[in-house]
Amino acid sequence: MRIGQGFDVHPVGSAGPLVLAGVRVPSDSGLAGHSDADVVAHAVTDSLLGAVARGDIGQRFGVDDPALAGADSMSLLATVVEELAADGWRPNNVDVTVVAERPRLAPHRDAMRANLADALGLDLGAVSVKASTADRLGSIGRGEGIACWAVCTVVER
C-alpha cells in the first residue's frame, strides 16, 4: 500500500460554471484555469500520481497544451486511474477537503462523492468529501478562490 497527497487551488473569476468533482455547483462565477479548473479532480489526481511517484498533474497534463484548454478534469483523473491500473496499481480510498467561503457545498457533497467513486472505481464508502470554510481569513476566506486537499491510498492489483 502507498499513500499520496494532493493540493490544488484556483482563483474565482471565470464566466464558466463552477465544477467540483465533476458536479456543476450553482454559483455566480466559476474558477479560472486552463482546464475546467476542477480543484477537487486536480487534487485527487495529484494524490494518485504522488502515491506512485509519478510527479504531478502539471507534469502529466501540461498547461501549455492547447488540446487541454477547457478539458474535463474528471476525464483526466480517469486517464490517470487507467495508467495506474496498467502498471498494477488501483485506488483503495480517497479523502478530500474542499475549502470555499461560498457557495455552500454541503448540498453537493453526495454527488461529488458519487462522481469520484465512479472515476476511481471505488465503492462509495471508500470516498470521503468534506467541505469547510476559511472563516473569512485570507484570499479563500474573502471568496477569491477555492482550494482542495486530497489524500489517497493505492494498492497493488
Side-chain angles (χ1 to χ4, degrees), residues 18-24 36 38 40-41 72 74 111-112 115-116:
L18 174 60
V19 179
L20 300 172
V23 175
R24 287 181 176 236
D36 61 6
D38 185 335
V40 176
D72 175 354
M74 292 297 287
M112 287 189 259
N115 281 356
L116 288 171

Side-chain angles (χ1 to χ4, degrees), residues 10-11 14 31-37 42 63 69-70:
H10 281 273
S14 167
L31 298 175
H34 183 64
S35 65
D36 61 6
H42 294 178
V63 296

Side-chain angles (χ1 to χ4, degrees), residues 4-112:
Q5 62 90 33
F7 170 78
D8 196 42
V9 62
H10 281 273
V12 171
S14 167
L18 174 60
V19 179
L20 300 172
V23 175
R24 287 181 176 236
V25 176
S27 179
D28 293 337
S29 64
L31 298 175
H34 183 64
S35 65
D36 61 6
D38 185 335
V39 295
V40 176
H42 294 178
V44 172
T45 299
D46 265 352
S47 72
L48 291 171
L49 290 168
V52 296
R54 292 267 176 83
D56 60 43
I57 193 170
Q59 290 172 297
R60 178 61 189 83
F61 304 104
V63 296
D64 297 332
D65 186 348
L68 296 175
D72 175 354
S73 296
M74 292 297 287
S75 293
L76 303 179
L77 172 59
T79 297
V80 168
V81 171
E82 290 171 6
E83 290 172 357
L84 268 59
D87 288 337
W89 295 99
R90 69 172 176 80
N92 185 58
N93 80 309
V94 66
D95 181 25
V96 170
T97 303
V98 186
V99 182
E101 209 62 29
R102 58 187 173 276
R104 242 181 125 250
L105 300 179
H108 310 285
R109 194 177 357 214
D110 289 341
M112 287 189 259

